[in-house]
Amino acid sequence: MADFLELTVDKFTFKIATDRFYSAEGMWVKEEDGKVRLGLSDYFQQRNGDVAFAEITEEGTALGADDEIAVIETIKVDIGLETPVAG
């Protein structure tokens, strides 16, 4: 299997990595070496525009699933990001 899938919608081409899990909101989760890494999907980034400001929860903070992990401000919207997993 390829490292990623590609999907083209209108003029946009989205890359979808196959080694992680995705939420409906556009966040992804990947486990590496006993740690969990969260990120924003290519689609989420292209849909919402460039990030102008980000406020991220302090490292070491215990969070439950659906707790707010960050607030980002783009040129289009302000978004509160909820973690899809507890940790």
Side-chain angles (χ1 to χ4, degrees):
M1 177 178 266
D3 292 340
F4 63 89
L5 305 173
E6 269 190 15
L7 173 68
T8 301
V9 179
D10 296 326
K11 63 180 182 174
F12 300 103
T13 299
F14 303 103
K15 291 187 178 184
I16 304 142
T18 58
D19 64 347
R20 54 202 75 190
F21 297 97
Y22 293 87
S23 73
E25 292 76 29
M27 290 188 71
W28 55 259
V29 177
K30 178 181 178 180
E31 184 178 354
E32 295 177 310
D33 302 322
K35 294 183 180 183
V36 175
R37 177 177 284 192
L38 301 173
L40 301 174
S41 69
D42 193 24
Y43 174 75
F44 179 95
Q45 293 175 52
Q46 289 189 40
R47 181 184 66 185
N48 292 300
D50 294 335
V51 174
F53 177 78
E55 183 178 334
I56 301 169
T57 303
E58 187 175 328
E59 182 178 346
T61 303
L63 297 169
D66 298 326
D67 284 351
E68 188 171 86
I69 192 169
V71 177
I72 62 171
E73 180 181 325
T74 72
I75 55 176
K76 295 180 181 180
V77 294
D78 292 349
I79 303 169
L81 299 175
E82 297 174 350
T83 179
V85 295

